[in-house]
Amino acid sequence: MGDGLLAGGGLGSEAMAPERTRWSAEEHPAPLEKGLLQDDDSCSDCSSHDKPGSSLQSFVPEGKIHFPEMFQTSHLLFYERFRAYQDYILADCKASEVREFTAEFLEKVLEPSGWRAVWHTNVFEVLVEVTDVDFAALKAVVRLADPYLCESQVSTFTLECMKELLDLKEYRLPLQELWVVFDDSGIFDQTALAIEHVRFFYQNIWRSWDEEEEDEYDYFVRCVEPRLRLHYDILEDRVPSGLIVDYQNLLTQCEESYRKFLNLRSSLSNCNSDSEQENISMVEGLKLYSEIEQLKQKLKLIENPLLRYVFGYQKNSNIQAKGVRLNGEKITHVVSSTVTTGLLQSLLRDRLCPEPCKEEIEIQFHSDPLSAINACYEGDTVIVCPGHYVVHGTFSIADSIELEGYGLPDDIVIEKRGKGDTFVDCTGADVKISSIKFVQHDAVEGILIIHRGKTTLENCVLQCETTGVTVRTSAEFLMKNSDLYGAKGAGIEIYPGSKCTLCDNGIHHCKEGILIKDFLDEHYDIPKISMVNNVIHNNEGYGVVLVKPTIFSDLQENAQDGTEENKALKIQTSGEADVAERVDLEELIQCATGKMELYARADLSEQGEGNYEIVNELVAASTQKGQMKKKRLSELGITQADDNLMSQEMFVSIVGNQFKWNGKGSFGTFLF
């Protein structure tokens, strides 16, 4: 994971301890204190002086210089850091109060003097003694230890240079740059732990722009908890490597833009008012501010555990189709661990030669399904015989092929092991998969992703680990008579501009049943969805969730606030109301409902209400999308736009679905 981890933002193990190549540590996590404070109401227990012996382990830094042993504090578990920040350090403070709360915490637990530490930087390590602590500044007052121990990557860095450097710093060093020297008495355990929490916070949690954000609610809930969870999700291989790289790049871009913004704001304060340069700088500043806000929003989407699966890594598939063989032949691939005469006779009778053969069929035998998939060309067929097959790679299907099991799904099990990428990647124009059970373990990405083209899944079982099926923009997915369960994210994710048909399926025991992603980009159309006679049950959240930005919810509320004579959806662009472009929302909903009337009338049961809710919400959403599209066409000089939104056939059918025992209900809207 280290290659994709953040430098500066510090999401990886490298950020948790200084340069592992030079600072060795124990292989196993050290036993840790049960709490930084033994009693919330008592400060007398803060240092645990009466506790004989240290409960922390130690490590010896690698290098030519023999430094004393250090406290090993970098292997703290998630819940230990979580509890420390929530209960003892930050509590319910605002972003602007973080430094103050941290200083108050350190005053309670930190030994003010009498301990030694190694001052660690990217250039050198030097042994120092702490004589005092400036809690408000989060700095320690130090002096060089005797004997003088220093290891530097620069050979010309002498004792005199070190003294000059310390003199420039007034012998005051940031606490997060100090690693406490081990003492087995237990007196300095809390000091070492407290400094570790401060160091980890400023390396991995704090962002330079946090203090300027509005304090709508406490900083811990808004920023600390999601970033902490992301850090440990990365350490435990629960985040795709591509998403880590995306996050790293976004963080770097945001830091650079924010630095430019601060410099520009500083220069503006020194400019003469109403000067031409000031006006230019203000325009540039507004652009930078807008760019920073967009980057921060993207960072928050990845940091949030739920939204990470909703808007996260959009892997681009680079699979190249092989096309038709040069001789134009199509081959049937048979997968079986062993081939008996009885199995061969059955295959010939049922699949290979069900009728008198008019021409010869070439057959290739494989012992595992992955090799069969890799050997396929356009138009080939793969028949998987009963058995339990374990694969360690990805099924990359770029050509139009058929993958079918010979028997019942429970008899043809393909199990994916390893923390690799997606189980099945589909980019073929017409891919068909049937009668197979896919089992996913220790996964980071979803079980099936349709990047483009059409994929049909029939009579299959999907035992998921992370996300279930993802239907990307412009892709088409048909799922019939199948069972999907176990996803830690959504069972099925439907992206804008895609087409998804779900008939007679079971979707259950997932985080969310079906998640419809829309309005990520106004240029994409709403997905075309058909849901008929599915049973969506026992999901932790909603049966179906529609995700959209808050702005669209506000627009809908504005429409509902109008009078009976003017119940219209009002789209406002650049702060000016476009009164000429209004749509009667109630009329559109009635139109959509009329289209569905053939399938579902006023059924007031839970499943009926769920179907009706989905239709109404998607019609309202398409109305808003249509207005944005019409506005763009108008700006391009195209004055005529199709006002009949239903002519786009947004809804094939959403009827007959049963919603049972979902934690939050049958249908919900998630605003971000």
Side-chain angles (χ1 to χ4, degrees):
M1 298 300 295
D3 293 339
L5 303 178
L6 301 186
L11 281 177
S13 57
E14 288 84 354
M16 297 175 67
E19 298 184 51
R20 291 286 182 184
T21 56
R22 306 188 60 209
W23 290 59
S24 64
E26 297 294 335
E27 292 294 330
H28 303 287
L32 301 164
E33 300 281 359
K34 290 186 178 180
L36 287 168
L37 301 178
Q38 301 301 319
D39 191 328
D40 291 341
D41 299 323
S42 172
C43 293
S44 61
D45 294 333
C46 292
S47 299
S48 300
H49 284 186
D50 57 338
K51 195 173 184 179
S54 173
S55 62
L56 300 177
Q57 292 186 1
S58 63
F59 73 97
V60 179
E62 291 181 349
K64 297 178 181 179
I65 303 299
H66 296 290
F67 283 102
E69 294 180 63
M70 313 290 176
F71 279 105
Q72 173 56 267
T73 57
S74 61
H75 284 132
L76 298 184
L77 303 177
F78 167 81
Y79 78 89
E80 291 166 316
R81 296 193 192 274
F82 181 93
R83 184 185 177 209
Y85 293 128
Q86 182 185 52
D87 295 347
Y88 304 124
I89 305 176
L90 302 176
D92 58 353
C93 75
K94 299 178 179 180
S96 56
E97 300 171 331
V98 166
R99 199 175 189 86
E100 178 186 345
F101 273 58
T102 304
E104 290 179 1
F105 160 75
L106 291 176
E107 283 190 72
K108 296 178 181 178
V109 300
L110 211 65
E111 292 293 332
S113 62
W115 46 281
R116 296 189 303 164
V118 172
W119 178 24
H120 175 83
T121 69
N122 293 329
V123 179
F124 60 82
E125 295 89 36
V126 61
L127 186 64
V128 297
E129 293 181 0
V130 176
T131 60
D132 196 8
V133 177
D134 184 348
F135 294 105
L138 306 184
K139 291 185 176 181
V141 181
V142 304
R143 65 186 177 202
L144 292 175
D146 187 20
Y148 173 70
L149 294 178
C150 178
E151 183 168 357
S152 174
Q153 299 177 21
V154 182
S155 58
T156 57
F157 201 87
T158 63
L159 173 60
E160 296 303 320
C161 294
M162 180 61 69
K163 288 181 178 179
E164 289 180 12
L165 178 60
L166 285 173
D167 190 54
L168 287 173
K169 291 181 170 289
E170 298 178 343
Y171 290 84
R172 293 152 55 89
L173 305 178
L175 286 170
Q176 59 261 37
E177 295 181 8
L178 299 180
W179 291 78
V180 182
V181 170
F182 182 74
D183 186 304
D184 60 5
S185 67
I187 294 177
F188 300 116
D189 283 19
Q190 298 289 5
T191 296
L193 283 170
I195 291 177
E196 167 63 27
H197 286 304
V198 172
R199 174 169 42 247
F200 180 89
F201 175 80
Y202 281 104
Q203 285 182 344
N204 301 284
I205 307 297
W206 181 255
R207 306 286 183 257
S208 54
W209 54 82
D210 282 353
E211 201 165 4
E212 295 193 7
E213 289 196 343
E214 295 181 6
D215 292 317
E216 298 177 1
Y217 53 99
D218 67 274
Y219 178 69
F220 178 85
V221 173
R222 181 162 52 89
C223 297
V224 178
E225 181 178 357
R227 292 172 187 170
L228 186 62
R229 288 188 185 277
L230 175 61
H231 176 88
Y232 277 90
D233 282 349
I234 289 175
L235 290 184
E236 296 168 11
D237 293 329
R238 290 199 294 264
V239 180
S241 57
L243 184 56
I244 299 173
V245 174
D246 287 352
Y247 187 77
Q248 175 185 4
N249 293 335
L250 287 170
L251 195 57
T252 301
Q253 292 175 37
C254 199
E255 291 281 3
E256 291 176 355
S257 298
Y258 186 69
R259 188 162 47 249
K260 292 178 183 177
F261 179 76
L262 291 180
N263 293 336
L264 187 62
R265 188 169 64 180
S266 177
S267 65
L268 275 173
S269 63
N270 299 325
C271 288
N272 295 326
S273 59
D274 298 329
S275 67
E276 183 178 353
Q277 181 60 39
E278 183 184 32
N279 293 334
I280 295 174
S281 298
M282 287 184 67
V283 172
E284 185 180 350
L286 289 173
K287 290 181 179 179
L288 274 174
Y289 180 80
S290 176
E291 177 185 333
I292 292 168
E293 289 302 310
Q294 291 177 6
L295 291 171
K296 283 159 60 175
Q297 183 70 8
K298 292 179 181 179
L299 287 171
K300 289 177 181 178
L301 294 178
I302 299 176
E303 290 167 354
N304 185 290
L306 172 61
L307 296 181
R308 195 176 307 150
Y309 289 103
V310 178
F311 299 105
Y313 178 49
Q314 297 187 26
K315 176 183 175 183
N316 294 318
S317 178
N318 297 318
I319 310 169
Q320 296 297 322
K322 296 179 182 178
V324 181
R325 285 184 178 82
L326 294 177
N327 57 10
E329 291 185 354
K330 297 178 182 179
I331 294 177
T332 298
H333 305 263
V334 177
V335 179
S336 180
S337 53
T338 58
V339 180
T340 64
T341 55
L343 176 63
L344 193 55
Q345 288 176 347
S346 299
L347 278 172
L348 288 171
R349 182 183 67 248
D350 299 336
R351 296 294 179 87
L352 302 179
C353 297
E355 299 177 0
C357 296
K358 297 180 181 179
E359 58 183 26
E360 291 292 325
I361 299 175
E362 182 176 342
I363 301 172
Q364 291 184 5
F365 289 89
H366 304 263
S367 60
D368 70 278
L370 186 58
S371 64
I373 293 292
N374 292 337
C376 282
Y377 282 76
E378 183 77 13
D380 283 4
T381 299
V382 178
I383 300 175
V384 185
C385 296
H388 190 119
Y389 305 90
V390 176
V391 298
H392 295 273
T394 298
F395 284 13
S396 300
I397 305 176
D399 294 280
S400 297
I401 68 170
E402 292 188 24
L403 174 62
E404 57 180 288
Y406 180 51
L408 299 175
D410 286 339
D411 297 328
I412 302 103
V413 179
I414 303 178
E415 180 180 349
K416 168 72 178 292
R417 291 181 184 172
K419 299 181 183 298
D421 294 333
T422 313
F423 195 162
V424 183
D425 263 349
C426 290
T427 59
D430 189 8
V431 178
K432 297 178 181 178
I433 304 173
S434 61
S435 302
I436 294 176
K437 180 176 182 178
F438 294 93
V439 179
Q440 190 181 36
H441 291 299
D442 300 322
V444 176
E445 297 188 32
I447 197 167
L448 169 62
I449 295 183
I450 301 99
H451 296 273
R452 54 185 176 270
K454 178 181 179 181
T455 296
T456 301
L457 195 73
E458 187 171 1
N459 195 33
C460 288
V461 176
L462 303 181
Q463 181 179 316
C464 308
E465 178 78 8
T466 53
T467 304
V469 178
T470 301
V471 189
R472 297 290 188 194
T473 298
S474 301
E476 183 176 350
F477 179 54
L478 170 60
M479 180 175 172
K480 297 173 60 179
N481 300 312
S482 296
D483 192 44
L484 185 155
Y485 60 92
K488 294 178 182 176
I492 298 178
E493 293 183 355
I494 305 174
Y495 273 70
S498 65
K499 182 177 180 180
C500 187
T501 303
L502 308 173
C503 299
D504 301 296
N505 303 292
I507 302 171
H508 55 98
H509 294 92
C510 301
K511 179 72 175 179
E512 309 286 348
I514 299 171
L515 192 146
I516 304 171
K517 302 178 180 182
D518 198 15
F519 310 113
L520 297 181
D521 189 327
E522 64 183 37
H523 298 280
Y524 292 133
D525 291 327
I526 195 169
K528 299 178 182 180
I529 301 171
S530 175
M531 292 172 53
V532 179
N533 299 331
N534 300 284
V535 181
I536 305 170
H537 65 95
N538 289 103
N539 295 290
E540 184 179 337
Y542 292 101
V544 178
V545 176
L546 175 66
V547 181
K548 58 183 181 180
T550 308
I551 180 174
F552 289 99
S553 176
D554 295 340
L555 291 170
Q556 187 171 340
E557 289 177 2
N558 290 340
Q560 293 173 350
D561 289 341
T563 62
E564 290 295 324
E565 295 79 9
N566 188 28
K567 289 184 178 179
L569 181 64
K570 182 178 178 182
I571 300 297
Q572 184 171 335
T573 305
S574 302
E576 296 181 4
D578 191 354
V579 182
E581 297 180 0
R582 295 186 178 181
V583 177
D584 192 329
L585 185 58
E586 294 295 329
E587 184 177 334
L588 282 172
I589 292 177
Q590 291 173 7
C591 179
T593 307
K595 184 178 179 180
M596 309 300 295
E597 192 173 357
L598 177 63
Y599 300 99
R601 292 186 178 273
D603 183 0
L604 298 179
S605 65
E606 182 184 358
Q607 59 262 34
E609 291 177 354
N611 292 302
Y612 186 75
E613 279 183 292
I614 298 170
V615 172
N616 285 359
E617 191 67 38
L618 290 179
V619 172
S622 66
T623 300
Q624 297 157 355
K625 177 76 74 173
Q627 285 295 352
M628 296 178 72
K629 184 175 182 180
K630 186 176 179 181
K631 181 68 176 178
R632 291 198 308 274
L633 292 174
S634 177
E635 291 172 351
L636 293 172
I638 303 173
T639 56
Q640 294 182 350
D642 184 8
D643 289 328
N644 184 9
L645 295 175
M646 299 311 298
S647 67
Q648 300 179 33
E649 296 183 357
M650 303 262 182
F651 315 104
V652 181
S653 57
I654 304 180
V655 294
N657 304 286
Q658 299 183 45
F659 300 88
K660 300 179 179 179
W661 309 300
N662 295 296
K664 295 183 179 178
S666 58
F667 179 77
T669 303
F670 188 91
L671 303 177
F672 70 97

